[in-house]
Amino acid sequence: MSELLARAGIEEFPKHWKLLNASHKGLYSLNFRLRAAADIHSRPNALLYARDVKEASFVAGLRNLPVLGGKNSRFIFEMHEALFLQHRDLENRRDWRKTLELERSILRKADGLVVTNRDIADIAAAELGYTGPVVEEPNGINERIFHALELFTDQVPWPGENDAVNLVYVGNMQHGKGVQ
């Protein structure tokens, strides 16, 4: 992350950043938008960081409002998926081109891009026209909760034909998430 901040002209990680907690997406979004607007107004060189398309679009728009003083701010977008690909691949979803244009407009205004895998970075460049700095940060795990199991050993052998097998997957198996 420090490399991306440096390439965006930011010398150090902002110590005043705080996590926004909310038990509902709508409350989180409202809290995020209010704080982003306040920060861009009160800090002429604000660093704004968004991980959701709607919030990123809001932040990108704030930078164009001279009354808020956002033109000197920096904006980093953390992209977990190419949302337009999900919309394009859904049956009866005709508005995927609007999503494509929304993502393009966000990336035109982003000073930096954080992606969870190389495929997303490639899509951002090839399909969305992004040419700025990119940092790849794979999704992390908490190894105290999730850890590799010692499977298929003498102590934990392969299941038999009639044994119950439980499979667990956490996440979305969508092309836009880089699952390919």
Side-chain angles (χ1 to χ4, degrees), residues 12-179:
E12 64 182 56
F13 192 80
K15 292 178 179 36
H16 65 276
W17 276 16
K18 296 179 185 140
L19 291 176
L20 299 181
N21 294 317
S23 59
H24 181 275
K25 177 130 174 75
L27 293 174
Y28 172 85
S29 182
L30 177 62
N31 194 0
F32 176 89
R33 290 169 190 234
L34 290 172
R35 288 198 184 196
D39 278 354
I40 206 167
H41 178 66
S42 64
R43 294 183 179 97
N45 296 316
L47 171 61
L48 302 165
Y49 191 101
R51 327 176 37 230
D52 179 84
V53 168
K54 295 291 184 183
E55 275 77 29
S57 178
F58 178 78
V59 167
L62 282 177
R63 297 178 74 200
N64 294 334
L65 298 174
V67 69
L68 291 178
K71 62 184 174 184
N72 293 325
S73 66
R74 298 287 188 264
F75 165 45
I76 295 175
F77 180 42
E78 183 177 322
M79 188 173 183
H80 295 196
E81 61 203 348
L83 194 58
F84 82 93
L85 289 176
Q86 289 180 28
H87 289 192
R88 185 185 67 191
D89 294 341
L90 290 173
E91 285 187 44
N92 301 323
R93 188 79 188 233
R94 294 193 172 99
D95 67 343
W96 69 269
R97 284 185 178 84
K98 288 180 186 174
T99 307
L100 173 69
E101 287 308 314
L102 178 63
E103 288 181 306
R104 282 181 177 158
S105 71
I106 290 167
L107 291 178
R108 273 194 299 271
K109 296 174 184 170
D111 295 301
L113 182 65
V114 176
V115 296
T116 55
N117 64 61
R118 189 80 248 155
D119 291 334
I120 296 170
D122 293 343
I123 291 168
E127 304 278 342
L128 301 170
Y130 182 73
T131 59
V134 177
V135 168
E136 185 179 342
E137 289 287 334
N139 288 326
I141 60 166
N142 182 336
E143 292 182 353
R144 290 177 295 171
I145 299 170
F146 299 103
H147 55 278
L149 297 176
E150 294 293 327
L151 297 177
F152 317 125
T153 63
D154 289 339
Q155 292 77 26
V156 186
W158 281 87
E161 270 183 37
N162 298 319
D163 291 340
V165 175
N166 295 313
L167 299 176
V168 176
Y169 176 79
V170 179
N172 295 323
M173 294 189 69
Q174 300 169 347
H175 179 79
K177 292 278 191 180
V179 75

